[in-house]
Amino acid sequence: MVGAISSGLEFGVARVGFPDSPSGPAFAQLRIDGRAFGEYRFTDTLAANATVQYNQVNSPVVAQEDLDYTRWQAYVGLRWFM
């Protein structure tokens, strides 16, 4: 289909628990993620696409280590359909 646009959004939240261990007490992390995707088909065989992803982890300090992080990723590409 020429001139077609395809897109999508995803989002997630999770709480991950870790039990007591010899290296530290039990703790829990909050994880958040999201993804946006878009594609445009120039012809029946050629399309351009892009994806942006986000990840975040919120965690208490465990054994003097800060486990928090935030990460952004972005990808662009061309797709050729045969």
Side-chain angles (χ1 to χ4, degrees):
M1 182 180 278
V2 177
I5 296 175
S6 174
S7 64
L9 291 171
E10 295 179 9
F11 179 77
V13 177
R15 182 183 176 279
V16 180
F18 296 91
D20 283 325
S21 70
S23 63
F27 69 98
Q29 292 180 331
L30 178 66
R31 298 180 181 188
I32 301 168
D33 62 86
R35 183 173 75 139
F37 171 81
E39 180 176 80
Y40 179 77
R41 291 191 182 179
F42 299 105
T43 67
D44 286 338
T45 59
L46 183 65
N49 56 51
T51 302
V52 176
Q53 294 180 330
Y54 174 78
N55 298 93
Q56 177 180 343
V57 172
N58 298 324
S59 178
V61 175
V62 177
Q64 299 178 345
E65 295 289 332
D66 184 5
L67 303 176
D68 288 355
Y69 72 87
T70 300
R71 178 176 54 200
W72 286 92
Q73 299 176 75
Y75 305 96
V76 294
L78 288 173
R79 186 160 32 173
W80 179 37
F81 303 96
M82 295 182 72

